Amino acid sequence: MATANQAATNVAVDPSLQRNVDAFCAQLDTLLTAHSGKYVVFANSQLVKVCDSLSSAMTLGYAQFTDDSFLVQRVEPLRKQIDFHATCRV
């Protein structure tokens, strides 16, 4: 399984996002067993909530973390390439 550092090779990532990615990767085996296919919200390197949909996970993240320092990730095995998407509020 790829580690967070391997997944983020050659990518400039915000340190708080990287900590959340690292926390997700560290818990991935357990998450796959219990929540495969669901969406998780991580903030401050902690699992905040498991959600049934991307929409509910994003809504929760934006409602609770106004500084946008959270990660929403689908619980699935890591691929060799991970796509990161960032949003900007105006």
Side-chain angles (χ1 to χ4, degrees), residues 20-41:
N20 288 325
V21 170
D22 291 343
F24 169 77
C25 289
Q27 296 183 41
L28 184 56
D29 288 338
T30 302
L31 290 169
L32 283 167
T33 300
H35 305 293
S36 186
K38 305 254 184 196
Y39 292 84
V40 290
V41 180

Side-chain angles (χ1 to χ4, degrees), residues 11-90:
V11 177
V13 178
D14 177 76
S16 65
L17 175 59
Q18 185 63 54
R19 287 189 294 275
N20 288 325
V21 170
D22 291 343
F24 169 77
C25 289
Q27 296 183 41
L28 184 56
D29 288 338
T30 302
L31 290 169
L32 283 167
T33 300
H35 305 293
S36 186
K38 305 254 184 196
Y39 292 84
V40 290
V41 180
F42 275 80
N44 301 313
S45 303
Q46 300 292 318
L47 174 63
V48 176
K49 185 158 181 156
V50 177
C51 299
D52 290 326
S53 70
L54 175 60
S55 176
S56 62
M58 294 298 292
T59 299
L60 176 106
Y62 283 123
Q64 289 191 6
F65 306 103
T66 57
D67 61 356
D68 297 341
S69 61
F70 65 93
L71 170 75
V72 170
Q73 184 66 45
R74 185 162 192 224
V75 178
E76 61 187 7
L78 289 179
R79 298 182 305 255
K80 289 188 179 192
Q81 177 180 343
I82 296 177
D83 299 321
F84 290 97
H85 302 275
T87 60
C88 178
R89 291 192 208 182
V90 179

